[in-house]
Amino acid sequence: MDEYRNHASLYDLLVGPFLHSTHRDIVDIVKVHGCSSLLDICCGTGLLVGKAVAAGLKPIGTDLSPAMLDIARSNHPEINFLENDASDLPMEEGSFDAVTVSFALHEKPRNVAFAIIREALRLVRKGGLVIVADYHLPVGHSAFFTGFAVQCVERIAGKQHYAYFKEYMKPGGTEAFLAEAGLDATCRTTHMNGWSGIFVHVKDA
Ligand SMILES: C[S@@+](CC[C@H](N)C(=O)[O-])C[C@H]1O[C@@H](n2cnc3c(N)ncnc32)[C@H](O)[C@@H]1O
């Protein structure tokens, strides 16, 4: 079943503005590292790959939701989008300079999220980047209201979705998840008043 069937048409309008600066910063990081080819796993409606192509990169998007992919293809007919499960992708090892996953891991069962990260690591070339943007535990309490808003959005997304979000945040969000997955990832920037972050891992050359 397509979990995004009922939300896809509203995604760009309701969620897009909150992810704009994250997607922009990811593209900047990819460009500064001198990458050209980029695979965006769980690409959704193509918000990130749209920015990547505008910046002169060569992106491909892949997602499991036909509804999200329909919008991605209609927004960006010039980009290749593939319908695949991110935990088992058909591309060859080391095919991309950079592989990105934004705001998808927190909504998956932990074993599936680990399988997605393993695929990201497999598909990036040596010396290339795995970039993950997702929820983060902010330092201090100044971002209480943003945290409340994040909780509300994740609750509205559904009972199962919220349960996986809680499971993801309990040990420490993205930082803890990537450490447990064995990545040596650095948090480059935070967004949403500290409630999300962009984490970059360079694959050993
Ligand atoms: C919250 S959206 C994020 C979309 C996009 N990365 C962004 O930043 O706007 C999560 C996306 O992950 C996709 N997704 C969830 N599980 C997946 C899986 N196993 N394989 C591929 N895509 C998946 C959903 O279809 C959805 O498009």
Side-chain angles (χ1 to χ4, degrees):
M1 187 191 118
D2 184 350
E3 289 173 27
Y4 275 81
R5 192 185 57 227
N6 298 325
H7 313 304
S9 60
L10 291 174
Y11 188 85
D12 286 2
L13 182 70
L14 298 183
V15 180
F18 296 99
L19 306 187
H20 169 79
S21 63
T22 302
H23 292 151
R24 180 202 61 206
D25 286 0
I26 291 173
V27 170
D28 284 350
I29 291 166
V30 170
K31 284 209 75 161
V32 167
H33 196 74
C35 299
S36 173
S37 60
L38 182 154
L39 174 68
D40 188 29
I41 294 179
C42 304
C43 66
T45 58
L47 291 170
L48 171 58
V49 287
K51 286 186 173 61
V53 84
L57 299 171
K58 293 184 186 128
I60 292 177
T62 180
D63 200 279
L64 194 55
S65 161
M68 295 294 259
L69 287 170
D70 280 351
I71 293 171
R73 289 179 180 125
S74 132
N75 286 346
H76 304 289
E78 75 282 21
I79 300 175
N80 191 13
F81 291 100
L82 306 170
E83 186 180 325
N84 288 118
D85 187 329
S87 59
D88 185 16
L89 290 165
M91 301 85 165
E92 278 184 30
E93 186 173 339
S95 302
F96 298 92
D97 296 332
V99 179
T100 53
V101 191
S102 61
F103 294 96
L105 299 177
H106 73 271
E107 62 176 53
K108 309 306 299 173
R110 218 160 168 78
N111 62 321
V112 176
F114 281 131
I116 292 173
I117 279 298
R118 276 197 299 276
E119 279 299 75
L121 268 176
R122 183 181 71 79
L123 291 170
V124 76
R125 67 161 166 79
K126 288 179 180 169
L129 304 179
V130 172
I131 303 181
V132 175
D134 215 312
Y135 289 124
H136 180 55
L137 281 181
V139 179
H141 300 283
S142 58
F144 173 81
F145 289 107
T146 310
F148 181 70
V150 166
Q151 295 268 345
C152 289
V153 168
E154 294 302 314
R155 265 183 196 273
I156 290 166
K159 197 173 168 187
Q160 189 62 76
H161 187 119
Y162 187 62
Y164 291 141
F165 163 76
K166 296 277 280 184
E167 185 185 33
Y168 187 80
M169 295 307 284
K170 198 171 173 194
T174 306
E175 195 164 12
F177 174 83
L178 293 177
E180 200 180 329
L183 273 71
D184 184 16
T186 310
C187 182
R188 292 285 182 88
T189 55
T190 60
H191 299 261
M192 298 183 191
N193 283 329
W195 276 91
S196 73
I198 298 176
F199 294 80
V200 179
H201 169 88
V202 184
K203 185 168 172 177
D204 285 343

